[in-house]
Amino acid sequence: EKRNQKCTLLFYLYSLSIYRQLILTTMAAVNTKAKPYYTEEKAVHLIRVFLAVLSIMLLLGWQHIILLNPLKRGKADMEHMDPSEIAATPFQIANVASFTMFPVVVMLIFWLAKAPQHFSKNMLTLLKLSLTTYALFALCGDNMTKHWKHSILSAIYIGALLTSTSNGKTSKNIMEEMPFTDFSDLLASSRLYGMLLFSIPFQVLSVLDRGVQIQRWPLPVLLGGTYGYVIGTMIGLMLLYLQNNATEKKSKR
């Protein structure tokens, strides 16, 4: 718990430093006589970094409140149950709905505010990715039909996270809209591969007969997707930082 608090504090300090630079950029833009503190390209990049850090902080905090805290209470209430019974008991549908739908609604509002002309295209991508994710849940046994409410909500949530990695293209093949081979957007590619890599161990954990709370459906999907998105975002920001530094050094030569 102390380690999580330290990580959260570091995230807040990093976001505050970015916020400070945003203020300096705005002040420089208002004062036309002054020398620009940042170019427009750097300002856009800085805003994107700030939003990325803010998004993972909010996701981790929301996950801790809605999923992880109730898990601790559920562990004490289900100690008398057999491990297989615990794993077969789905997580509370109210918590699943709250955790999955709030970020999706925030993302929809962000799309409308940022680029309303692309809202319908983003919605189509979200729909295709959600249906694809729901179909993949067939690999998880009867959770696709027996606990279909949990599965639908989880599919929409994972689809929304994946939509944030879309390359903006429109294709009948949804795989072509994902940056699997196009690494021009390092942040999007890191998020995509982070989600894929972290989802695998969490899915393996779900089939073990351990009776651990995080085995309850659809927690393996939600936790794996969220942690993968967060770690992928952090790696992507580091890669962007290194890329920008290399570009600036080349431009000075």
Side-chain angles (χ1 to χ4, degrees), residues 64-227:
H64 187 78
I65 295 172
I66 303 300
L67 297 183
L68 299 184
N69 281 344
L71 277 182
K72 297 177 182 178
R73 296 191 295 268
K75 181 179 180 181
D77 296 337
M78 303 176 73
E79 284 182 344
H80 64 284
M81 297 176 62
D82 185 78
S84 59
E85 292 179 341
I86 296 176
T89 304
F91 198 62
Q92 298 93 315
I93 185 63
N95 292 70
V96 174
S98 299
F99 176 75
T100 56
M101 288 298 100
F102 181 71
V104 173
V105 171
V106 172
M107 181 173 288
L108 295 179
I109 295 174
F110 178 75
W111 288 346
L112 278 174
K114 181 182 179 181
Q117 68 275 17
H118 298 310
F119 182 77
S120 58
K121 183 176 69 173
N122 290 332
M123 284 296 298
L124 180 60
T125 302
L126 172 60
L127 177 61
K128 290 189 289 186
L129 287 171
S130 299
L131 291 175
T132 303
T133 304
Y134 186 71
L136 291 175
F137 285 165
L139 301 176
C140 302
D142 62 351
N143 291 314
M144 182 178 177
T145 55
K146 187 176 181 180
H147 307 305
W148 60 273
K149 293 180 181 179
H150 298 72
S151 299
I152 289 177
L153 292 171
S154 302
I156 295 174
Y157 173 74
I158 297 299
L161 294 184
L162 289 173
T163 303
S164 69
T165 70
S166 174
N167 54 26
K169 299 178 181 178
T170 303
S171 174
K172 293 181 179 179
N173 185 0
I174 189 61
M175 294 296 104
E176 295 180 0
E177 299 183 23
M178 298 288 100
F180 285 105
T181 57
D182 182 10
F183 299 102
S184 57
D185 188 342
L186 293 176
L187 183 58
S189 299
S190 298
R191 283 173 170 172
L192 175 63
Y193 282 101
M195 291 181 65
L196 292 176
L197 293 176
F198 270 77
S199 295
I200 294 174
F202 275 88
Q203 286 301 318
V204 173
L205 177 65
S206 66
V207 301
L208 300 178
D209 191 16
R210 297 286 302 276
V212 184
Q213 286 291 314
I214 60 175
Q215 290 182 268
R216 298 168 62 186
W217 183 257
L219 292 180
V221 172
L222 298 180
L223 296 179
T226 302
Y227 284 127

Side-chain angles (χ1 to χ4, degrees), residues 22-35:
L22 278 174
I23 295 176
L24 293 174
T25 304
T26 305
M27 293 174 62
V30 172
N31 188 2
T32 55
K33 295 182 180 180
K35 184 179 180 180

